[in-house]
Amino acid sequence: MSREFSQMDKQIFDKLAPEAGGSTMSGMGHNYPFILRPISHRIAQSAEDFRNRLERLDATELDYLVGLAMEDKEDIRSLEDEDVESFMEFVRERISPEREKELKAKLGLV
């Protein structure tokens, strides 16, 4: 499934991976279908690096990603396990425990 990144998607991707220089293309030459998966699997050097990158997002950007995940336009389940935990923790702390529960239920992580 392929989707084109919106301006908000690009803004968030650039914040999470400034070293990509604004490119949302993989080394194979295709556009990334998701924002967080390439950060988790290719760009972040460790679980701690992934967490540090998430720190850059404000609550609005984080909730935007949750909204995409709720619409199956962002893939949270395929992130590294520690990265899924970090993302959920940020959702709980920066948005609300209710939003985290909603997302976990949608993803079947309850």
Side-chain angles (χ1 to χ4, degrees), residues 24-95:
T24 57
M25 287 205 153
S26 73
M28 306 283 279
H30 64 274
N31 285 314
Y32 290 124
F34 304 107
I35 297 169
L36 294 174
R37 191 165 67 190
I39 306 295
S40 177
H41 291 285
R42 303 203 185 310
I43 297 169
Q45 301 298 308
S46 64
E48 184 181 352
D49 185 18
F50 185 82
R51 279 187 67 79
N52 290 339
R53 290 169 187 272
L54 285 181
E55 287 278 356
R56 302 172 188 168
L57 300 179
D58 62 31
T60 303
E61 293 162 329
L62 201 55
D63 198 48
Y64 174 80
L65 290 173
V66 172
L68 289 178
M70 297 294 282
E71 296 173 18
D72 296 321
K73 292 180 180 173
E74 185 60 45
D75 186 7
I76 305 296
R77 282 185 294 253
S78 73
L79 303 180
E80 297 293 341
D81 289 343
E82 293 122 331
D83 296 346
V84 172
E85 290 170 25
S86 292
F87 186 77
M88 292 301 176
E89 185 180 313
F90 276 90
V91 170
R92 181 174 60 253
E93 292 172 1
R94 297 227 177 129
I95 303 170

